[in-house]
Amino acid sequence: MKSAGPKAAVLVIALAAAGLGIAVVAARPGAQPAPGAAYCSAPGSQATSVENFTVTGYLDPEDTSTSLQQLIDSASKGGGAIVQLPAGTFTLGRPLILKSNVALKGAGASTVLKAGPGFLDTKGPFGGHPLITTNGAQNVTIAQLTADQSGQELDGNASGRLSEYLIDVRHSSNALVEGVRTRNPFTYSIAVVASSNFCIRGNDTLVTSSGKYDQLDGIHITDSSGGMVEGNTIDQRQGDDGDDGLVAQTIGAPVHDVTYRNNKVRGGSHGSGMQLAVGTHEIYNIIVDNNRFWGSPDGVKTGYYDGNAPVRDVAVKNNSFTDIPGPWLDFHGDLTNITVTDNITCQSGGLKLDDAPGNVVSNNRESC
């Protein structure tokens, strides 16, 4: 990622209007986390009724945006439902806007929502080109599908490219994104913006393009709090355009109380495994635990964009760092209580950590 200065004013206004805080939502009764995964407190939509999607009878099966949006809107007005998509490729001519209490679910990777030839003609609510955005909806789920932004076929270097993102959780609480494959992005793959109580779990991001785009981050958390990023596979480096694998970024509000756990991460050639991207607001209460970082230029690092706010109470523990030529950890700036323990490195650079009150560094070792 690079500086996102032009977006700051928009996000500050939006945050003030949203007035979001941390929402505590109980998990579904009997819900079980994925094997080896930690507890994730955002269950998403609790709807049980099912509305099956079909394009039969619609006038333009080459663009299912209108018919699918109508079903989403109807499901929300009825109090919420599971909008169930079958296997198949469904072409979208415009972004989908998810509504409160709705779960948008596919049949797995074989359900493909794909940006069509005219997709860039219509923008999302914030001037970008998201494939799916929650846009202020509460209690929502996006699950078990492939989201293809068609960046290889479209010229995604359009106005507002970095204003909204491929899977865009925005101004929402209790949002679950699970089992989603992102392909051919021209912006961040999965982003959480100005939201609280979220779970990004068991997803798969991939960047394969070369020479077309920049700032192609994997899972990007901005101005948000109270969330879990767990069990995801992030590979930003099958092409040359990929950037950071994981990001916590402050623009208009702090990022805090977010756990990144059990992820397998390869940052792109332009980025790192994970970046704490600091502006004028703090980043604090962050846990980076039991992730595998590999093949990135750098491991976990701090970066500063239009500000130098404090970074405090961050734990980087039980991770592995393999084939990372730069520092496997590089933290500098206004730091407090940075804990770096029980990490394993192999064929990677060193550890750089500015002296700061409360820092703990122990039991980190090289083992190949």
Side-chain angles (χ1 to χ4, degrees), residues 265-291:
V265 185
R266 179 163 69 158
S269 57
H270 299 297
S272 57
M274 179 175 182
Q275 183 175 173
L276 306 184
V278 188
T280 58
H281 296 267
E282 291 182 291
I283 295 178
Y284 63 94
N285 292 352
I286 304 296
I287 297 174
V288 184
D289 178 29
N290 201 39
N291 302 283

Side-chain angles (χ1 to χ4, degrees), residues 9-250:
V10 174
L11 278 170
V12 169
I13 293 170
L15 282 162
L20 289 173
I22 298 177
V24 178
V25 180
R28 289 188 300 269
Q32 297 295 322
Y39 174 73
C40 200
S41 63
S45 171
Q46 298 293 279
T48 56
S49 63
V50 178
E51 298 285 348
N52 289 299
F53 177 69
T54 174
V55 295
T56 302
Y58 288 103
L59 296 178
D60 188 3
E62 298 304 316
D63 177 8
T64 58
S65 302
T66 299
S67 54
L68 185 49
Q69 188 65 60
Q70 287 173 346
L71 189 57
I72 291 170
D73 294 349
S74 175
S76 182
K77 289 177 181 177
I82 300 168
V83 174
Q84 182 65 57
L85 284 70
T89 298
F90 302 95
T91 303
L92 302 182
R94 62 179 60 212
L96 292 178
I97 301 176
L98 200 58
K99 300 297 179 67
S100 292
N101 304 310
V102 173
L104 181 64
K105 292 187 175 181
S110 60
T111 298
V112 181
L113 294 178
K114 182 177 175 61
F119 182 76
L120 295 173
D121 295 341
T122 304
K123 292 186 176 182
F126 288 84
H129 301 280
L131 201 73
I132 307 169
T133 179
T134 65
N135 188 39
Q138 314 303 311
N139 312 319
V140 290
T141 296
I142 303 168
Q144 306 305 324
L145 54 83
T146 296
D148 186 340
Q149 207 173 18
S150 298
Q152 300 282 55
E153 301 159 38
L154 302 175
D155 182 4
N157 288 303
S159 173
R161 179 175 74 92
L162 291 173
S163 296
E164 293 175 271
Y165 311 109
L166 201 171
I167 299 293
D168 190 85
V169 175
R170 186 175 294 259
H171 299 162
S172 297
S173 64
N174 185 25
L176 171 65
V177 180
E178 182 174 38
V180 172
R181 298 165 75 245
T182 63
R183 296 295 183 263
N184 300 310
F186 53 78
T187 182
Y188 305 161
S189 292
I190 300 174
V192 178
V193 181
S195 296
S196 62
N197 195 34
F198 58 88
C199 181
I200 311 300
R201 178 173 61 196
N203 303 289
D204 181 316
T205 76
L206 184 67
V207 170
T208 57
S209 63
S210 295
K212 293 195 70 172
Y213 306 106
D214 62 4
Q215 302 186 63
L216 299 187
D217 294 346
I219 298 178
H220 193 112
I221 310 301
T222 299
D223 297 355
S224 297
S225 61
M228 178 81 75
V229 178
E230 65 167 343
N232 302 284
T233 299
I234 299 107
D235 190 349
Q236 306 302 104
R237 205 172 182 180
Q238 289 196 23
D240 296 331
D241 291 347
D243 211 310
D244 299 318
L246 299 172
V247 176
Q249 182 184 18
T250 65

Side-chain angles (χ1 to χ4, degrees), residues 314-316 337-341 351 353 356-364:
V314 176
V316 180
N337 297 335
I338 308 300
T339 300
V340 184
T341 58
L351 183 156
L353 176 63
N359 284 2
V360 176
V361 179
S362 68
N363 203 34
N364 303 292

